[in-house]
Amino acid sequence: MLLVAWTALPVGAAQTTVVVLAPTAADDRIDPSSTAIAFWNDRLAELGVETALSDPEVVIDSPVARALENYARQVATRSVGLPGGSYEPAPPAALTNLEGDIIVLLSRQDIMSFTWPMPQVSPPRYFVVIRAVRGPYRNDPMVSRHVVAHELGHALGLKHNAEPHTLMCGPCQPLTAEPDATGFLPLTDRDRARLRDLHGPRIR
């Protein structure tokens, strides 16, 4: 089943398309993913940059999900700290054939969530994997939306920072962190400056 939802982008904004693959329609990470995308669009609009994320095209129980899960495991096993590049094996056709600038897999696996620039793919596209959460934080939309927002931040070009109570923290201290007025952990001034540098002013 394919569920599609689109909203109008800010005038002059370049659309970055997002595809979300979920194992079931009841997956509790789908709504937090949409909330995280809305958060980023609000921040990008505030910064006046030319990029905006589309509402996600949500694909339920895709026939290519198994191939993507296998690739996610391969990447996670190698080390998500390694950059993509010509020395990395090309992503499977099941992934590159999907039409989207950012492919988000709501994984069935309990592996580390990560964002991976697809090697040997031009123009750049990103594979984002969101782990299946186990334990006390399972089904917590606050946790899920922060994880998705953090990984989308990487896809937008942000790196980890040393501030443990910010969205792009690495390492983080989530138990003592408090969201700001947006409902999310804050961005740093450096994060905002980098987004402006990377995405440029909106064309009007």
Side-chain angles (χ1 to χ4, degrees):
M1 179 172 62
L2 187 66
L3 307 176
V4 183
W6 304 103
T7 57
L9 297 173
V11 175
Q15 178 175 332
T16 297
T17 55
V18 182
V19 176
V20 175
L21 283 79
T24 71
D27 193 288
D28 52 33
R29 295 166 292 177
I30 294 176
D31 285 346
S33 296
S34 294
T35 303
I37 289 170
F39 162 82
W40 275 116
N41 279 335
D42 287 345
R43 303 292 77 70
L44 295 168
E46 288 171 0
L47 293 169
V49 299
E50 64 178 8
T51 299
L53 303 178
S54 73
D55 274 5
E57 176 184 337
V58 181
V59 182
I60 305 300
D61 193 23
S62 169
V64 305
R66 181 181 294 274
L68 270 60
E69 292 280 15
N70 290 339
Y71 184 62
R73 172 61 69 180
Q74 292 172 11
V75 173
T77 299
R78 284 184 59 83
S79 172
V80 298
L82 293 174
S86 60
Y87 58 86
E88 290 289 340
L95 177 56
T96 58
N97 287 344
L98 292 173
E99 294 185 1
D101 301 308
I102 301 173
I103 307 299
V104 180
L105 175 66
L106 304 182
S107 179
R108 294 179 181 270
Q109 304 178 79
D110 187 9
I111 59 177
M112 183 179 296
S113 299
F114 64 84
T115 298
W116 188 248
M118 297 186 204
Q120 305 175 43
V121 174
S122 181
R125 298 172 66 201
Y126 293 88
F127 181 41
V128 174
V129 175
I130 305 300
R131 66 183 290 189
V133 179
R134 308 286 189 245
Y137 296 111
R138 187 175 183 181
N139 301 329
D140 187 331
M142 176 70 76
V143 173
S144 294
R145 72 186 191 184
H146 273 90
V147 172
V148 176
H150 177 98
E151 297 304 336
L152 289 176
H154 287 313
L156 289 167
L158 297 181
K159 300 178 180 180
H160 286 142
N161 61 54
E163 300 293 332
H165 296 151
T166 62
L167 182 62
M168 300 308 298
C169 54
C172 302
Q173 294 180 8
L175 296 181
T176 56
E178 291 290 338
D180 63 15
T182 68
F184 285 80
L185 295 178
L187 301 177
T188 66
D189 290 342
R190 182 172 293 183
D191 291 335
R192 293 186 177 87
R194 181 168 175 80
L195 289 169
R196 289 191 186 98
D197 289 343
L198 289 173
H199 298 282
R202 186 173 303 152
I203 299 172
R204 297 186 182 278

